[in-house]
Amino acid sequence: CAQPALRFLRVSLGARWAQKPLALTLLQPCALEGELGEVVAIPLATQGSGDLSAMARAGAFLVVPPGTSELERGAFVMVLPL
């Protein structure tokens, strides 16, 4: 049985994101706001990988590449819709 392909979207970041850089890809919960063609990703504050309240509010994962310590508002980023 074939696995469905993951579908990433390229959107604008609606708020600055910053964290201590990690040596791995981070999937940061985020909300998606706006209309088709003008969608922005808003990073959600979390308390760690087991944070169910952030996951309940999330519409996607913001894909943060390894070694990234900050992303500025307005930057184009990749997200994985849930």
Side-chain angles (χ1 to χ4, degrees):
C1 183
Q3 295 291 328
L6 296 177
R7 298 195 185 245
F8 293 89
L9 299 176
R10 184 174 183 257
V11 300
S12 178
L13 193 60
R16 181 178 178 274
W17 175 90
Q19 180 177 306
K20 178 180 174 183
L22 300 174
L24 48 86
T25 299
L26 176 67
L27 298 177
Q28 173 73 37
C30 66
L32 297 178
E33 297 180 355
E35 301 286 327
L36 188 59
E38 296 183 23
V39 175
V40 296
I42 308 295
L44 299 174
T46 67
Q47 299 298 316
S49 62
D51 189 345
L52 293 177
S53 65
M55 286 301 300
R57 297 186 323 264
F61 286 118
L62 168 63
V63 180
V64 180
T68 303
S69 61
E70 65 182 272
L71 297 167
E72 293 297 329
R73 182 176 188 254
F76 284 101
V77 295
M78 299 302 290
V79 297
L80 178 61
L82 297 177

